[in-house]
Amino acid sequence: MRCGVCNRNSESEFCERHKKAYENLMKAYKVWEKSLGISWIEYLCRIRQNANAGLWVKEVVQHLLVQNARKKKSEHDEISNI
Amino acid sequence: MSLKTETILVLCEKPNAAMRIAKALDKDSDPEKKILSKVSYYEAETDGKRLIVVSALGHLYTVAPKIMDRDVYPVFEFEWVPKYKIERNAKENKEFIDAISKLSQEAQEFILATDYDIEGATIGYTILKYACGGKEKEAKRMKFSTLTTDEIRKSYIGLLPHIEFLTVEAGVCRHFLDAMYGINLSRAMTVASKRWSGRYTTISTGRVQGPTLNFLVEREKEINSFVPTPYWIINAKVEINGSIYEAEYEKAIVESQAEANDVINSCRGKTGKITEIEVKKFTQNPPTPFDLSTLQTEAYNLFRFAPKRTADIAEHLYLDALISYPRTSSQKLPSTINFRSILESLGGESKYQELTAKLLRREILLPNEGEKQDPAHPAVYPTGNLPERILSGPEKHLWDLIVKRFMAVFGEPALKQTVKVYVSVDRHRFLLRGSCILKEGWIAFYKPYVQADEVILPSLVEGEEVKIKDIAQEEKFTKPPPRYNPSSLLKKMENEGIGTKTTRADIIETLYNRMYVKEERMVVSDLGFDVVDILSSYCPEVLSADFTKELEYKMEEIQHGKEKMENVLNDALNHLKPLLDELKTHEKSIGQALSEAVRKARLQGRVFGNCPICVTGELLILHSKRTGKRFIGCTNFFKRTCKASFPLPQNGAVKPSGKSCQICSWPMIKLKLKGKRSWVFCINPNCASKEGKSK
């Protein structure tokens, strides 16, 4: 299996580097949600802009946002077809 | 002098030291300078004896594998060989070996006067053994910590009967271990990469280099996977007697925006009351004398000198007899060095006159010593000699720092006071902080190298009312741990007990030279990551600081006569063999991974930055097919979407500088012409920085 972000060999969706970044991202969302009451997507957008966020975290964020956009597009297409 | 006069060969480590030693020992302080096959040496006369004072150039011999073919590993048989036979840049060493060999034939006695430490002893041992024809057992030893005339003469009068054999054994063991690990592991990786890609690139690691790189990689991983979380700070402006003071909210970190809003809304425009005033007085002891690593840390913090640069400058100051031997771990200053006479001499320099006079008025001079010890040398201290030549800027800075530190350690503790004023507004409390120095003590001697940020508050009483003029919140985010810089990495190596005071700075330099790290804040490159990834997959032991620490401990035991070199080398061999077998078994996959990493690193090293024209492409050095001339072009040229190109000088080495032009923000390049200083300039031919230069 290949990492969805960097294409390195991996055992799951992400390689070791991006897996750790993803775990940290999930953990930190709880703090952001409590402090600012923002949605998951809004959170991702803010992390993408944040200068203190790590490189691998930003790569995961980009990957998740692209995935989300694709998902939305396919949902939109499905509705259009109906 | 008659032909039968006894001749003594005095062997020094560096040419400057030889000159000072010859001058100090000659009965007229005027030794005769001679030259033998391009090597200078001195002839002096003392007590009716003829002294030949000659120097080495640091190590003249090195440990090399008996099998020289770089493609062969493992290799476990090593020997001492002249350095010039192994290293391309060591041709000068041959002349020194030849000259010392020849001069040794005239001598009946031998004195080793190299630096009194593990490397100095090893340098001397190898030269006495191999260049002087086995004189290591009969040579006597001079021990000194400064190159002042007095100390050199005393050291000559009180010659030690022989060289320090246990220290030599530990030194030799270190060289063999370093070669065994460094050569085998580096060859394994280099060969793997070469066999896969067909291109030769040195990929090195070693028993200290591996764990050091691993510290950096671990930190880089933390930074790269760091997710910041928000918090808020609240500051208020408080009016007291017509002046405005900054007060901070009692809770340094407010975790939610709602809570921060609540505090602001309740306090805005209100009047507060001083509910508590807390005054604390405390003393701050003088700093301890410099050992090498604290000197390197301080010089980095104050002047941004990399550790290796500090060590090199300190070496120059030592060879000029301005400071004591800098490669020391000691934070102790024995009274035998005569503090009073050093201060008296330093008073000869007008800028130190007032400060030294202040100290000399004291009856007793007692330094505030640190805990670290070194059996060979005291802490770094100024000898009291004043410069005989004009010092360079960096030399001046470092010498001044050492002189002022020396004076400061004799200073009295400083007396400081902090004031905390609590202001209650509604149900919230704010804090006004003040601080001042009541008695300078040692600080007076260590200026400008100590910062005293004073905030003087007006006199206040509990119950007094103050007006909140303004209150604001600021959104902040948690930060990742800081990257190591050369100074903090050196500290980390020292705390982890890996490397020695002499080798640590060189290891850090090697990490830069191998392109494993870049920039002052040490950013690990992809190549650095890949080397650690590969080693951690196939032989993680090589990255373990614990193993290296254990070896360091064993080498110390050798020096204390509690361990034997043979045992340590055998243990290391048994440890290393299976690791190398593992590397050999996986040579193909290791080679593939390393080759890819090297290819990426090379490409990265050629990128000058993003194309300022199309923004998406990267700028690289390209060559014109028609003329063969080099220029900078955009990678999008190959996609036919960008034709940006910029001229380059056709001579000299061109590298990305890693900087952007401050005027036009375009990438800058570094040009190095042979024999000239490198030149950094902007690639933009129309940049305002170039106006008038072509005229």
Side-chain angles (χ1 to χ4, degrees), chain B residues 555-570:
Chain B
M555 281 184 277
E556 261 177 45
E557 293 285 274
I558 293 176
Q559 213 168 338
H560 296 137
K562 294 177 187 165
E563 182 58 277
K564 296 302 292 172
M565 175 167 73
E566 289 72 25
N567 299 338
V568 179
L569 290 178
N570 273 334

Side-chain angles (χ1 to χ4, degrees), chain B residues 177 180-181 185 206-208 211 496-498 540-555 568-577 579:
Chain B
L177 279 176
M180 197 192 282
Y181 276 85
L185 292 169
R207 62 176 193 87
V208 183
E496 292 287 335
I498 64 168
E541 295 93 330
V542 175
L543 299 174
S544 155
D546 290 342
F547 175 71
T548 295
K549 208 187 315 187
E550 198 187 312
L551 283 180
E552 299 287 353
Y553 173 74
K554 283 182 181 170
M555 281 184 277
V568 179
L569 290 178
N570 273 334
D571 288 351
L573 189 90
N574 293 333
H575 173 259
L576 187 60
K577 248 183 179 167
L579 303 183

Side-chain angles (χ1 to χ4, degrees), chain B residues 177-178 181-182 185-186 189 204-221 484 488-500 504 507-508 511 516-517 522 524 528 531-533 535-536 539-552 575-576 579:
Chain B
L177 279 176
D178 286 347
Y181 276 85
L185 292 169
S186 301
M189 295 204 293
S204 74
T205 188
R207 62 176 193 87
V208 183
Q209 196 184 315
T212 308
L213 181 58
N214 197 35
F215 295 148
L216 292 164
V217 166
E218 285 304 314
R219 178 58 59 88
E220 197 73 37
K221 280 182 182 170
Y484 286 106
S488 58
L489 182 62
L490 188 112
K491 201 93 208 140
K492 169 84 177 165
M493 291 168 81
E494 193 187 359
N495 292 342
E496 292 287 335
I498 64 168
T500 67
R504 287 181 196 122
I507 296 275
I508 294 173
L511 295 178
Y516 295 160
V517 290
M522 305 178 81
V524 181
V531 167
V532 167
D533 273 354
L535 289 173
S536 62
C539 48
E541 295 93 330
V542 175
L543 299 174
S544 155
D546 290 342
F547 175 71
T548 295
K549 208 187 315 187
E550 198 187 312
L551 283 180
E552 299 287 353
H575 173 259
L576 187 60
L579 303 183

